[in-house]
Amino acid sequence: MTVIDELVSANADYAKSFDKGDLPLPPARRTAIVVCMDARIDPAKALGLQEGDAHVIRNAGGRVVEALRSLAISQHLLGTEEVAVIHHTGCGMMTFTDDDIRKQLKEQRGAIADHVAFLPFADLEQSVRDDITIYQQSPLVRHDIPVRGFVYEVETGALREVA
Ligand SMILES: [Zn+2]
């Protein structure tokens, strides 16, 4: 039995008591959240979200540049009008450089990834500020709405606003 088999089994239980099949497509709380994929962060629990409430856009690091496509769709087609960017303590993105992962990919897979920006960072709070700047410089997204940056502490479960 693979983990995916376990997930499928858990879903069968979830679907048995599922009663939210008539939610509207646009998020009820009109908010998009860009957050790291880190397994220790459960955005729904940590932020008090229910099904249908918000768009949660996740990637390695919670990097805005990789989320702009989704944010544009979220805002222009589905009506979200606030953005929270959340990076976190202990992020894996602080443990490597582009050169490190490019070298590993070349050695282990023969892959040439010189053109891929993996977007690691060394300074956590600065990475949030940098991502708010990238947001502000993008023509794809709205600039007349609240856009706020946070650090989530995996040690305490608390959010800290930094940008
Ligand atoms: Zn992370």
Side-chain angles (χ1 to χ4, degrees), residues 6 12-14 30 44 56 68 72 74 82 96 99 120 122 134-135 156:
E6 296 169 6
D13 290 339
Y14 176 76
R30 296 179 175 275
V56 179
L68 288 170
S74 175
E82 294 189 47
F96 69 94
D99 282 347
I134 284 170
Y135 180 98
T156 65

Side-chain angles (χ1 to χ4, degrees), residues 36-38 40-41 59-62 87-93 121:
C36 185
M37 67 185 185
D38 193 291
R40 295 167 292 182
I41 305 171
N59 62 47
H87 297 181
H88 66 97
T89 56
C91 188
M93 301 296 276
F121 49 81

Side-chain angles (χ1 to χ4, degrees), residues 25-47:
L25 173 58
R29 297 173 74 185
R30 296 179 175 275
T31 299
I33 299 151
V34 180
V35 58
C36 185
M37 67 185 185
D38 193 291
R40 295 167 292 182
I41 305 171
D42 183 333
K45 282 186 194 162
L47 305 172

Side-chain angles (χ1 to χ4, degrees), residues 47-111:
L47 305 172
L49 297 170
Q50 305 293 323
E51 291 94 335
D53 272 354
H55 285 148
V56 179
I57 303 159
R58 303 193 73 167
N59 62 47
R63 301 315 309 261
V64 164
V65 71
E66 194 176 334
L68 288 170
R69 177 188 68 87
S70 299
L71 286 169
I73 292 165
S74 175
Q75 295 176 357
H76 297 285
L77 300 182
L78 295 164
T80 59
E81 46 196 25
E82 294 189 47
V83 178
V85 176
I86 304 175
H87 297 181
H88 66 97
T89 56
C91 188
M93 301 296 276
M94 294 187 285
T95 66
F96 69 94
T97 65
D98 268 340
D99 282 347
D100 292 335
I101 190 166
R102 285 172 183 153
K103 188 161 174 275
Q104 278 192 31
L105 284 164
K106 190 168 185 181
E107 287 172 2
Q108 295 169 16
R109 312 190 54 82

Side-chain angles (χ1 to χ4, degrees), residues 125-143:
E125 296 191 4
Q126 188 58 43
S127 75
V128 178
R129 290 191 287 269
D130 289 347
D131 276 15
I132 297 296
T133 300
I134 284 170
Y135 180 98
Q136 289 166 342
Q137 292 174 345
S138 172
L140 300 177
V141 289
R142 288 178 61 175
H143 299 289

